[in-house]
Amino acid sequence: MVNDSTMDAHNQQYNNKVDNRTEKEKAIDAWLPITSSRNAKWWYSAFHNVTAMVGAGVLSLPYAMGPGVAVLVISWIITLYTLWQMVEMHEMVPGKRFDRYHELGQHAFGEKLGLYIVVPQQLIVEVSVNIVYMVTGGKSLHKFHELVCNENCKDIKLTYFIMIFASVHFVLSHLPNFNSISGVSLAAAVMSLSYSTIAWSAAVKKGVQPNVQYGYKPKSTIGTVFNFFSALGDVAFAYAGHNVVLEIQATIPSTPEKPSKGPMWKGVIVAYIVVALCYFPVALIGYWVYGNEVSDNILISLNKPTWLIAMANLFVVVHVIGSYQIYAMPVFDMIETVLVKKLNFTPSFMLRFITRNLYVALTMFIGICFPFFGGLLGFFGGFAFAPTTYFLPCIMWLSIVKPKKWSLSWFTNWICIILGVALMVVSPIGGLRSIIVQAKTYNYQVYAMPVFDMIETLLVKKLKFTPSFMLRFITRNIYVALTMFVGICFPFFSGLLAFFGGFAFA
């Protein structure tokens, strides 16, 4: 128990915390997106968290079931625990609020190291999610157009639908802070629950399909193992909301008597209940109806009734509009902080107008050039998604709170860290392996063998490496991975040979 005198001393320390900021610094903080408004209600945090966490990827969860059922449940528990840790750590230091993920990282690991650890991972997640949502929004608009028009309309390229989706963000991105996008976020949260409900209820109405099979698709043990790894990745990426949780909590008012963690945690609990209502029925019912033949987007498996699936795709569009804004706001804050605090730009509407439009244009351009960008997250996303969600909060907790060794808290955090690191390592392997297997065709090997010979000749004869299985294993895998990456990024690569190939082929 904490006695009254201790609590009074804590409150006095909180209230007497000296604000050493200059008037200019206060004005800048009042202009920046994360710190400009602190009057949010607890339900704001609820629908912000729902919008951030429930992505359109929920529709692929049935595809990950079988091996992924346990992972889905365990991930829900672990991520709720790590989210609780972040809510608690927001005001760990009396009189100070860690308004941004990297500020908490700096407190845990040091000024420079904290930035180096957190900022790259947070940016990878947020920018990648924005690009994926740019593509998802365009694809859902495209699908809606196809379903509504049938064969009566002219086919329009996906590029134009991505541009249509982006045009909304050229407007919405100029809303200054989280509180100003609360209406958009609420609509997005409602839509996420709506299209998830459509997905599982339509599956129930359709009923279990004839000859449904629930076993593992692959016939070999190795294939089963790698499919399990892929399922880990699919499920892990369904929980990415931690990257914006401190920024959301920063918008809630806080006093020593009523700290922000109270209303924030209430919002998180509501959000996680909604997340469970979205994730578990879609995943389990979708798998129950279609078994291992379910598509990686359950709406494609359902297909009919047309009007309902069209409506669900439109709901997806509204949801990812809100999600894009939730993940873009911390990026806007980082960009504007650097420009104003480091490069001494004057805070102004024009500065915000230019930077935010450039960012939206950049994510749109990448989305148009790489409409399969979401597939890359299966390989590389785990290196950022898993740490920021599954184990970085645990490492910070051990560093800041320092629970007693061998205590329940100490054990729990280390278990989460071990599971999170394992997830980070194995989640990209399944998809990577399947592409490498597909690449190992006869023609590929015929043309690859002379390249292997050249590389190994150079390494052994010129650079004096010792001939060994490990040398061959590393060099050939790097080559296959390189050709795979180029093939993923440039599926039109063969077209380039029409321009440049003649100089070598002829």
Side-chain angles (χ1 to χ4, degrees):
M1 290 289 291
V2 180
N3 60 38
D4 291 341
S5 60
T6 305
M7 185 60 71
D8 289 342
H10 172 81
N11 290 351
Q12 192 67 31
Q13 184 182 7
Y14 191 104
N15 288 324
N16 291 342
K17 183 77 176 177
V18 178
D19 189 350
N20 294 318
R21 296 177 300 166
T22 64
E23 290 301 317
K24 182 181 177 182
E25 288 172 334
K26 289 179 182 178
I28 289 172
D29 285 339
W31 181 77
L32 291 171
I34 302 302
T35 50
S36 63
S37 179
R38 296 191 189 271
N39 57 1
K41 308 298 182 185
W42 71 265
W43 53 86
Y44 285 31
S45 75
F47 50 73
H48 282 331
N49 276 292
V50 170
T51 302
M53 195 162 296
V54 182
V58 65
L59 300 174
S60 70
L61 286 177
Y63 186 70
M65 289 302 97
V69 175
V71 180
L72 186 66
V73 176
I74 292 168
S75 291
W76 190 89
I77 295 168
I78 290 176
T79 56
L80 180 59
Y81 172 67
T82 54
L83 198 53
W84 170 78
Q85 289 180 312
M86 296 191 73
V87 170
E88 287 289 319
M89 289 188 287
H90 179 74
E91 293 173 294
M92 276 268 174
V93 177
K96 181 174 175 61
R97 301 182 69 174
F98 298 112
D99 295 322
R100 300 165 177 90
Y101 205 146
H102 69 80
E103 290 176 4
L104 182 62
Q106 287 175 297
H107 179 68
F109 307 123
E111 287 294 315
K112 285 189 176 180
L113 185 60
L115 276 179
Y116 295 151
I117 290 174
V118 176
V119 171
Q121 295 184 89
Q122 192 180 12
L123 275 177
I124 288 170
V125 172
E126 289 166 353
V127 176
S128 297
V129 166
N130 279 156
I131 296 168
V132 169
Y133 282 157
M134 192 67 77
V135 176
T136 302
K139 284 184 175 178
S140 296
L141 279 174
H142 192 200
K143 185 67 177 175
F144 175 78
H145 176 263
E146 285 181 349
L147 289 168
V148 171
C149 283
N150 247 341
E151 298 176 357
N152 303 323
C153 298
K154 183 181 178 182
D155 185 45
I156 301 174
K157 287 185 178 179
L158 175 63
T159 298
Y160 296 109
F161 285 105
I162 294 176
M163 293 171 73
I164 292 168
F165 182 78
S167 65
V168 177
H169 296 293
F170 281 115
V171 177
L172 290 181
S173 291
H174 300 295
L175 294 171
N177 51 50
F178 268 120
N179 285 351
S180 63
I181 62 171
S182 57
V184 178
S185 182
L186 174 60
V190 172
M191 290 300 104
S192 64
L193 188 58
S194 299
Y195 69 70
S196 298
T197 304
I198 288 173
W200 67 258
S201 59
V204 168
K205 189 171 188 328
K206 198 158 190 176
V208 178
Q209 298 302 289
N211 303 317
V212 66
Q213 293 183 351
Y214 300 111
Y216 295 110
K217 248 185 177 179
K219 300 301 180 186
S220 67
T221 304
I222 294 208
T224 301
V225 169
F226 282 108
N227 263 22
F228 177 68
F229 288 168
S230 294
L232 285 177
D234 288 341
V235 173
F237 300 148
Y239 301 93
H242 294 55
N243 290 275
V244 293
V245 69
L246 291 179
E247 287 82 352
I248 291 170
Q249 190 171 350
T251 65
I252 297 175
S254 183
T255 64
E257 296 78 20
K258 291 185 178 180
S260 63
K261 67 181 181 181
M264 181 66 186
W265 182 240
K266 191 189 296 184
V268 167
I269 291 296
V270 172
Y272 257 73
I273 291 171
V274 175
V275 166
L277 291 174
C278 290
Y279 284 7
F280 295 115
V282 172
L284 300 176
I285 293 173
Y287 187 70
W288 170 66
V289 170
Y290 293 101
N292 57 24
E293 295 300 322
V294 68
S295 169
D296 59 1
N297 182 337
I298 191 173
L299 293 181
I300 294 173
S301 290
L302 291 168
N303 206 23
K304 289 181 179 181
T306 304
W307 67 269
L308 191 64
I309 307 308
M311 192 193 313
N313 276 283
L314 203 57
F315 287 170
V316 171
V317 172
V318 176
H319 175 234
V320 294
I321 285 173
S323 295
Y324 182 99
Q325 290 299 315
I326 291 290
Y327 280 97
M329 198 60 74
V331 181
F332 295 154
D333 183 80
M334 287 186 199
I335 295 170
E336 290 164 12
T337 298
V338 170
L339 290 173
V340 172
K341 289 189 174 181
K342 300 293 184 184
L343 302 179
N344 296 316
F345 280 80
T346 304
S348 65
F349 169 78
M350 188 52 66
L351 178 66
R352 183 164 279 171
F353 181 82
I354 293 170
T355 53
R356 295 191 179 191
N357 276 346
L358 284 174
Y359 177 78
V360 173
L362 176 66
T363 55
M364 179 192 73
F365 179 75
I366 296 174
I368 290 170
C369 292
F370 307 105
F372 45 84
F373 187 85
L376 294 178
L377 293 182
F379 305 114
F380 310 115
F383 296 108
F385 277 76
T388 54
T389 300
Y390 285 82
F391 65 87
L392 199 54
C394 296
I395 295 173
M396 290 178 178
W397 185 269
L398 291 173
S399 174
I400 297 170
V401 180
K402 295 180 172 61
K404 190 176 178 181
K405 200 172 183 181
W406 311 117
S407 66
L408 179 61
S409 174
W410 187 88
F411 262 119
T412 305
N413 282 286
W414 274 109
I415 289 169
C416 291
I417 290 168
I418 291 167
L419 290 175
V421 171
L423 188 65
M424 180 184 71
V425 172
V426 305
S427 63
I429 293 177
L432 183 63
R433 181 252 184 189
S434 66
I435 288 183
I436 291 176
V437 166
Q438 291 169 20
K440 289 182 176 180
T441 61
Y442 174 75
N443 285 339
Y444 182 93
Q445 290 299 326
V446 166
Y447 286 102
M449 201 56 73
V451 181
F452 294 154
D453 182 75
M454 288 181 199
I455 295 170
E456 290 160 13
T457 299
L458 177 66
L459 291 172
V460 173
K461 290 190 174 180
K462 299 294 183 182
L463 301 180
K464 308 298 182 186
F465 278 79
T466 304
S468 65
F469 167 78
M470 189 54 65
L471 179 67
R472 180 165 284 169
F473 179 82
I474 293 171
T475 54
R476 295 192 179 190
N477 275 343
I478 289 174
Y479 176 79
V480 172
L482 176 64
T483 55
M484 175 203 73
F485 181 74
V486 174
I488 290 172
C489 292
F490 305 102
F492 47 84
F493 189 84
S494 57
L496 296 178
L497 297 182
F499 298 108
F500 309 115
F503 294 108
F505 281 77

